[in-house]
């Protein structure tokens, strides 16, 4: 496959990756997502502290001719945002797995996240790409 | 290789001027006496300083870096880039129109009111509507006005509705206009024919639906032939039908939105009625309504009374104003000129020729490009570059390649439901030779895409500038000249 | 015979050939999928078509029924103004490479329009002191309304304050735009013809998105601008202005007193009044609001060879990409009017604009003194004015205007319907286009009115 899918991460159906460490989850967009979006020119980040539920739009990513959202993979509160993206949105294209977008502190007792393992995500990407 | 054109701010010299004003012919007071010192401008006023001749050369140079309908074929789908008759420019510039103030006493503007009145009657006849307002300044503004009217109508019946429907092929202004009036938008899918999926529409319709916004012929250039069923279904749940008139050019004189069941229409005088697009505007987006919506129209309306024409502004249910005065009157003068010169048969002929030109081109081009909806089209059609895409040549590349043949490209990537879309609208004012040359160019590009795709993807080669870095422009926006860095 | 034959190049033989190529027998068949019930059997009922000569005569007759501002001196302002337009403006806007083009989506063959927009944006920024401007909106009224909507978006609040000294037509448009979204508009009352800032204390709070002011205000008075920005910013609201661009040659730039968004009517810059349209709404803002600006924006960039060029930029704000989430539904701009404005500003330059503004200031002051010296005519408000001023009248403005028209003068704007508390009153506007002789004549005619 043309797109990298990194081991050890969880994935969403909306093409975010999520890296869990205790109750903190680091979120970014996948290689496939950045390739679909093309050159990212602007990232609208949320305020630290903002609470979100699973599936809620947290970040807006803009390319020249498209807009897409990054959705919260879990219920929780934003604990950090990657401010480097304000000046260098291209990092998302250059190194999607090395570039995190937000960190979320998972809310205890929140809704169960619907996350995919690497293999299932690869199947999803293949299916979408074939359409 | 062509040079950059200097910016006005890089031309001229301090002290140069391009104007003359008379001497002040009355006793001058010290400025401080009229304008207290603390209210006076402190910031410098860094405007260009050029002579009149330099100014003219600058803009003449800029004009040579621009393509208009007068420069060549402009088959930009959905925009109806037809020829702009020169008489229109002359009539709109008559001082008796151009130098009228909107607040003059009505007895001093009877000719202008008469023109608006007649233009309204003629457009009512063309659309099959009861009343028309000229206040909206463009199509999108007409949509906003129409949505305001629809909202006011439902509210007046104590019937709050929340949803506006539009097909997935709809123009971006449709959902945007509905959102500006607080509606939630739901998309109706298109079926295999490229038409509104009637079953899906019926499933979505309920008493919360305020309106369905429809373009007919739609943005694929196809006539919604189920329109009467669609209208009945929408009306059955108490919803209204909105007509986006961007494509009226295809059917004027052959059918009327009013007869199809539409309750509100907007027209784009700058498309259908031959007024120039002006490099992006001004346009004019009159809105016509059936009787049940007339009480909500924006203020004021032109009426004819015993003593002549007058402004009627006591409409208690009116949505108010949507533009400061009466809309783009100067554009209405041009459209009116066109209307009186075309007459009924002329409009009908124009629509028929627009449809003929489009079908002729579509049938020829389907040999080299995919034609996803191969059926009788109206004034425009959408081809897809999906075959070419396999060779790495996109719709955008084909558009750029056309520039080297001296043609303005079709609309690309719209409607959204066709991949690699190229939407072609030749209009009735183009000759068969032009269509043939254009088809020839597209055929050659298709061949190149097959054999030497890199030649297509590197285009254009002959334009004043090459492909521009849009990514850079968006990452580092420079929207105002700040001097050389 | 059908009209407009000279716009339709296809000949009968060509039509037949093309129909054959498509595989249909007649032009009528091209409409066969239309349901029979809606196909027009009879032609539309329109008057018989006119030839070019007849059309010119007909339009000429309609135009001749109007009394225009080149015939009769006019003292109307109220949002549309009679300023001098150098000949060079119409010459350039009459170049068909500009006026027959559409929106510059294909940048490589639209550098003319794009660069002219970029230059226009720059001039608007320099006049207002703002850092960003768009390619224009429909008119000054909708520009102010869009600014209010943008302010609500930025602050996530649903209420704006507008001074009653803002043009009443603008307030009506604002009302329509805000009501459509269920946003609230509250009017700040006046004291002595100016915005009563003492009321802000009670009116402006954490729910206020913006304060909307006009400068000079509707009565031609210059509002005191030292206080408002600080007062509204304290609550996180924006200061939004509607400004007369010609006044800005002499008056403080809106950036100097903390404005966040500056809009206004650009018709004054080289565009004829045209019975109220097309006009030119300009829209400028602080850089931090760049992505909230509605409508088109031209931006500078480079081409594949490193040459400077211009494109439409930040398009993700717009309806063709963001659809229902767009900053605005606008899909055009008043490009040709913006071109006229840029040509006008470049022709006048800093000195010319200052001179034109200075003449307005002087001539309006002269006229105000003359008129208010007349028996029964009273200055409505004291304080510095720019080119307009309000006068209380000894009789109704409607009657006065009728009387003036008999004397081949187009009088001022009737204030009473909009500000009944003034009683009979008229707003006069005097620009650089008037001569002393005309102004003296106006005073003389007014004196004879009883
Ligand atoms: C289908 C359709 N609807 C609406 C519009 C908006 O019209 P305007 O540009 O006059 O605002 C357009 C313009 O391109 C269009 O093509």
């Amino acid at each position: 496959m043309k797109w990298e899918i990194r081991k050890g991460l969880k994935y969403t159906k909306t093409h975010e990756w999520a890296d869990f460490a205790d109750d903190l989850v680091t979120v970014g967009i996948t290689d496939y997502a950045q390739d679909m979006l093309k050159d990212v020119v602007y990232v609208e980040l949320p305020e630290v502290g903002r609470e979100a539920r699973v599936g809620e739009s947290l970040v807006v990513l803009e390319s020249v001719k498209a807009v897409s959202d990054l959705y919260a993979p879990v219920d929780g509160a934003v604990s950090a945002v990657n401010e480097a993206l304000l000046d260098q949105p291209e990092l998302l294209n250059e190194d999607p797995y090395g570039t995190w977008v937000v960190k979320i502190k998972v809310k205890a007792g929140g809704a169960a996240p619907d996350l995919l393992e690497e293999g299932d995500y690869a199947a999803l990407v293949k299916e979408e790409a074939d359409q | 290789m062509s040079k950059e054109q200097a910016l006005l701010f890089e031309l001229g010299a301090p002290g140069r001027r391009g104007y003359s004003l008379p001497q002040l012919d009355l006793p001058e007071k010290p400025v401080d006496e009229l304008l207290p010192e603390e209210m006076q401008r402190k910031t410098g006023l860094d405007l260009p300083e050029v002579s009149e001749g330099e100014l003219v050369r600058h803009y003449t140079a800029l004009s040579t870096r621009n393509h208009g309908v007068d420069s060549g074929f402009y088959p930009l789908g959905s925009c109806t880039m037809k020829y702009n008759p020169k008489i229109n420019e002359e009539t709109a510039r008559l001082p008796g129109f151009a130098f009228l103030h909107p607040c003059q006493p009505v007895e001093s503007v009877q000719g202008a009111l008469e023109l608006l009145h007649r233009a309204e009657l003629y457009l009512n006849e063309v659309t099959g509507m009861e009343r028309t307002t000229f206040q909206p300044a463009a199509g999108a503004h007409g949509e906003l006005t129409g949505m305001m009217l629809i909202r006011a109508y439902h509210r007046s019946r104590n019937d709050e509705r929340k949803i506006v429907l539009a097909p997935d092929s709809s123009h971006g202004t449709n959902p945007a206009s509905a959102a500006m009036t607080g509606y939630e938008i739901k998309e109706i899918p298109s079926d295999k024919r490229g038409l509104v999926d009637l079953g899906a529409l019926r499933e979505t319709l309920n008493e919360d639906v305020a309106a369905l916004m429809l373009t007919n012929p739609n943005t694929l250039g196809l006539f919604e032939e189920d329109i009467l069923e669609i209208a009945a279904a929408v009306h059955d749940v108490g919803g209204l039908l909105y007509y986006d008139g961007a494509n009226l050019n295809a059917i004027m004189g052959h059918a009327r939105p009013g007869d199809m069941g539409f309750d509100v229409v907007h027209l784009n005088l700058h498309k259908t009625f031959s007024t120039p697009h002006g490099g992006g505007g001004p346009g004019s987006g009159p809105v016509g309504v059936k009787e049940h919506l007339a009480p909500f129209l924006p203020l004021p309306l032109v009426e004819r009374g015993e003593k002549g024409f007058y402004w009627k502004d006591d409409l208690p249910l009116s949505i108010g104003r949507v533009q400061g005065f009466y809309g783009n009157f100067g554009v209405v003068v041009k459209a009116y000129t066109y209307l009186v010169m075309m007459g009924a048969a002329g409009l009908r002929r124009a629509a028929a020729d627009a449809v003929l030109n489009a079908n002729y081109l579509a049938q020829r081009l389907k040999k080299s490009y995919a034609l996803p909806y191969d059926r009788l089209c109206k004034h425009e059609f959408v081809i897809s570059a999906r075959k070419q895409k396999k060779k790495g040549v996109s719709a955008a590349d084909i558009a750029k390649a056309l520039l080297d043949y001296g043609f303005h490209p079709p609309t690309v990537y719209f409607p959204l439901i066709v991949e690699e879309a190229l939407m072609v609208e030749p209009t009735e004012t183009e000759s068969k030779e032009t269509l043939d040359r254009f088809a020839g160019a597209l055929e050659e590009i298709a061949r190149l895409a097959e054999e030497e795709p890199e030649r297509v993807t590197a285009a254009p080669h002959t334009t004043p500038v090459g492909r521009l870095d849009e990514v850079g422009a968006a990452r580092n926006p420079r929207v105002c000249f700040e001097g050389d860095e | 015979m059908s009209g407009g034959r000279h716009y339709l190049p296809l000949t009968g033989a060509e039509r037949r050939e093309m129909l054959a190529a498509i595989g249909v027998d007649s032009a009528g068949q091209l409409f066969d999928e239309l349901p029979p019930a809606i196909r027009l059997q009879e032609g539309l009922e329109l008057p018989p078509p006119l030839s070019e000569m007849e059309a010119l005569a007909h339009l000429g007759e309609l135009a001749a029924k109007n009394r225009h501002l080149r015939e009769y001196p006019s003292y109307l302002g109220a949002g549309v103004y009679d300023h001098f337009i150098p000949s060079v403006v119409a010459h350039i806007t009459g170049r068909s490479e500009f006026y027959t083009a559409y929106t510059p989506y294909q940048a490589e063959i639209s550098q003319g329009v794009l660069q002219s927009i970029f230059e226009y944006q720059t001039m608007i920024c320099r006049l207002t002191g703002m850092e960003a401007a768009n390619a224009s909106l429909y008119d000054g009224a909708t520009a102010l309304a869009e600014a209010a909507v943008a302010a609500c978006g930025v602050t996530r609040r649903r209420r704006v304050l507008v001074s009653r000294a803002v043009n009443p037509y603008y307030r009506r448009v604002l009302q329509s735009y805000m009501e459509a979204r269920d946003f609230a508009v509250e009017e700040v009352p006046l004291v002595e013809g100016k915005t009563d800032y003492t009321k802000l204390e009670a009116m402006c709070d954490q729910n206020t998105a913006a304060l909307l002011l006009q400068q000079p205000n509707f009565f031609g008075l210059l509002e005191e601008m030292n206080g408002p920005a600080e007062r509204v910013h304290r609550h996180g609201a924006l200061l939004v202005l509607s400004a007369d661009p010609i006044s800005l040659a002499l008056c403080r730039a809106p950036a100097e007193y903390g404005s966040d968004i500056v809009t206004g009517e650009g018709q004054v810059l080289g565009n004829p009044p045209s019975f109220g349209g097309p006009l030119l709404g300009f829209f400028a803002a602080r850089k931090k609001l760049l992505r909230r600006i509605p409508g088109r924006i031209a931006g500078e960039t480079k081409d594949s060879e490193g040459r400077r060029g211009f494109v439409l930029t930040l398009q993700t704000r717009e309806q063709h990409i963001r659809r229902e989430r767009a900053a605005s539904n606008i899909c055009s701009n008043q490009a040709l009017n913006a071109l006229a404005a840029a040509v006008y500003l470049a022709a006048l330059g800093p000195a010319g604009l200052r001179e034109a503004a200075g003449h307005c200031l002087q001539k309006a002051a002269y006229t105000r003194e003359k008129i208010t010296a007349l028996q029964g005519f009273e200055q409505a408000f004291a304080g510095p004015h720019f080119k307009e001023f309000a006068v209380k009248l000894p009789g109704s403005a409607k009657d006065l205007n009728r009387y003036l028209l008999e004397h081949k003068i187009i009088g001022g704007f009737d204030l009473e319907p909009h500000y009944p508390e003034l009683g009979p009153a008229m707003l006069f506007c005097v620009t650089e286009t008037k001569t002393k002789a005309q102004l003296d004549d106006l005073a003389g005619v007014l004196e004879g009115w009883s």
Side-chain angles (χ1 to χ4, degrees), chain B residues 4 29 43 125 336 378, chain C residues 33 45 58 256 308 369:
Chain B
E4 292 174 1
K29 292 200 169 162
T43 323
E125 171 67 9
Y336 176 77
K378 292 274 87 53
Chain C
E33 82 280 35
E45 274 183 50
H58 171 57
E256 292 173 26
R308 177 168 66 195
E369 264 179 32

Side-chain angles (χ1 to χ4, degrees), chain B residues 118-367:
Chain B
R118 286 168 176 256
E120 180 185 346
L121 293 184
Y122 299 170
L123 292 182
N124 289 344
E125 171 67 9
V126 172
T127 56
M129 292 286 153
E130 202 66 37
R131 293 283 338 226
T132 297
T133 171
F134 290 100
Q135 224 177 82
H141 205 206
E143 292 174 29
L144 176 63
T145 308
M147 287 297 112
M148 287 176 178
L149 294 170
I150 286 169
R151 215 172 96 116
Y153 166 83
H154 288 305
R155 281 209 167 161
S156 75
R157 301 154 54 94
N158 284 324
D159 186 7
E160 285 289 334
R161 291 174 177 240
K162 296 200 186 59
I163 295 167
V164 165
L165 308 178
D168 54 5
S169 60
S170 71
H171 194 259
T173 49
N174 292 183
S177 302
M180 279 179 86
T181 33
Y183 285 113
E184 183 192 321
I185 323 304
K186 279 204 183 140
E187 274 191 1
I188 304 297
S190 304
D191 62 17
K192 281 204 292 283
R193 302 170 299 169
L195 305 180
V196 167
D197 183 330
L198 200 54
L201 173 67
R202 289 211 167 101
E203 261 166 47
T204 320
L205 280 172
N206 60 42
E207 311 227 314
D208 222 6
V209 171
L212 168 68
M213 298 181 88
L214 210 58
T215 312
N216 196 14
N218 67 21
T219 62
L220 294 163
L222 307 174
F223 192 84
E224 296 283 356
E225 51 193 60
D226 302 329
I227 184 60
L228 296 173
E229 289 79 11
I230 293 173
V234 172
H235 287 151
D236 273 352
V237 296
L240 298 178
L241 210 58
Y242 183 91
Y243 184 80
D244 176 336
N247 294 345
L248 184 75
N249 202 49
I251 55 162
M252 55 181 180
H254 297 269
R256 312 191 302 172
D259 301 336
M260 299 175 203
F262 286 94
D263 303 281
V264 195
V265 316
H266 88 248
L267 304 176
N268 304 62
L269 298 188
H270 46 295
K271 299 181 181 187
T272 315
F273 297 94
S274 85
T275 76
H277 284 66
S284 171
V287 167
V289 296
K290 292 263 179 73
E291 205 166 349
H292 49 289
L293 285 157
F296 308 100
L297 281 171
L299 302 167
L301 290 171
V302 186
E303 295 286 353
R304 178 174 213 158
E306 270 161 30
K307 283 185 285 177
F309 297 96
Y310 66 98
W311 292 117
K312 183 177 168 63
D313 55 12
D314 53 338
L315 292 165
L317 297 177
S318 164
I319 56 165
R321 281 176 186 256
V322 294
Q323 195 255 12
F325 299 93
Y326 327 118
N328 287 343
F329 174 77
V331 178
V332 180
V333 174
K334 297 180 191 187
Y336 176 77
T337 308
Y338 178 74
L339 272 166
V340 298
M341 289 191 67
M342 296 298 284
L347 294 179
R348 193 176 153 88
R349 172 98 268 167
D353 281 358
V355 171
L356 177 59
N357 277 354
N359 280 288
Y360 175 74
L361 261 185
Q363 289 308 311
R364 176 156 168 191
L365 287 174
K366 79 174 188 199
K367 294 174 199 126

